[in-house]
Amino acid sequence: MTQRLILASNNAGKLKEFSELLGPIGFELHTQGEFNVPEAEEPFATFVENALAKARHASRLTGLPALADDSGVCVNALGGAPGVYSARYAGEPKSDARNNEKVIADLAAHADKSAYYYCVLVYVRHADDPQPVIADGAWHGEIIAQPRGSNGFGYDPYFLLPSLGKTAAELSPQEKNAISHRGQALRALVAKLT
């Protein structure tokens, strides 16, 4: 028997990625948009609080279990910025190009270019679930000044994986999912749910 699960996102890529791992363990994923759920506010300074707020919001408005993620890139020399503000680092409206320009500019005076992508996933059985299931993952690399690759999105063309000699944007979707922060968090979540 399958259990319907609301993904607190309207991202088709995330829906596909999550469905591939959660489908085999009995979940049928739907985006919140299919239920006319508006995006939740993300007012918090931590990934876990934002993901929990999004999951509770989607569950409250649909009456179904929900899954939310919050993720971003954290640059060590910038004190962890852009962090939870990754999508809007250069302000509104959201722009990957402007966000990347700002990170490169902010990092120019620093020798340390190390960074990591971080993802938190939160699963709630119902809106007031007192024991949400939480999983996370981190993917370490460094920021480079010149973009490379055409896959991925966001900071991927500037996120170099020194051990592979490639940026995240130079990996195929399958390669990326096997090692990324979101892939790690999703596998950890599946392990907890099974």
Side-chain angles (χ1 to χ4, degrees):
M1 191 175 105
T2 60
Q3 166 70 57
R4 287 199 302 173
L5 176 62
I6 302 302
L7 179 59
S9 169
N10 292 314
N11 184 311
K14 285 182 188 177
L15 179 68
K16 182 179 186 300
E17 194 177 317
F18 289 8
S19 293
E20 285 172 4
L21 280 173
L22 293 169
I25 64 166
F27 290 100
E28 177 189 307
L29 268 72
H30 299 271
T31 62
Q32 64 184 10
E34 293 176 55
F35 291 80
N36 299 313
V37 174
E39 285 192 16
E41 293 292 317
E42 297 179 54
F44 302 106
T46 68
F47 292 105
V48 71
E49 289 172 295
N50 285 326
L52 183 58
K54 290 191 279 189
R56 290 198 190 286
H57 173 76
S59 183
R60 185 164 287 113
L61 294 178
T62 62
L64 294 166
L67 173 66
D69 82 304
D70 199 37
S71 55
V73 69
C74 303
V75 180
N76 294 313
L78 303 180
V84 296
Y85 307 106
S86 291
R88 295 172 177 82
Y89 191 50
E92 293 287 356
K94 293 191 277 190
S95 164
D96 287 349
R98 287 189 302 107
N99 289 339
N100 282 305
E101 285 169 15
K102 181 166 170 49
V103 165
I104 300 306
D106 291 353
L107 201 51
H110 298 275
D112 178 9
K113 309 292 188 194
S114 65
Y116 59 94
Y117 270 120
Y118 184 70
C119 174
V120 173
L121 293 176
V122 173
Y123 168 83
V124 294
R125 293 160 197 85
H126 54 85
D128 298 314
D129 191 342
Q131 292 183 291
V133 180
I134 300 172
D136 68 348
W139 193 24
H140 296 270
E142 59 190 53
I143 301 297
I144 58 173
Q146 295 300 317
R148 292 177 16 200
S150 57
N151 293 329
F153 58 92
Y155 299 89
D156 288 357
Y158 297 87
F159 187 76
L160 180 71
L161 305 155
S163 62
L164 297 177
K166 293 180 175 181
T167 66
E170 292 176 300
L171 302 177
S172 71
Q174 294 75 20
E175 290 172 312
K176 182 182 174 185
N177 292 343
I179 59 175
S180 76
H181 55 307
R182 192 171 290 115
Q184 292 175 41
L186 195 47
R187 284 186 293 281
L189 181 75
V190 167
K192 289 183 175 192
L193 293 176
T194 53

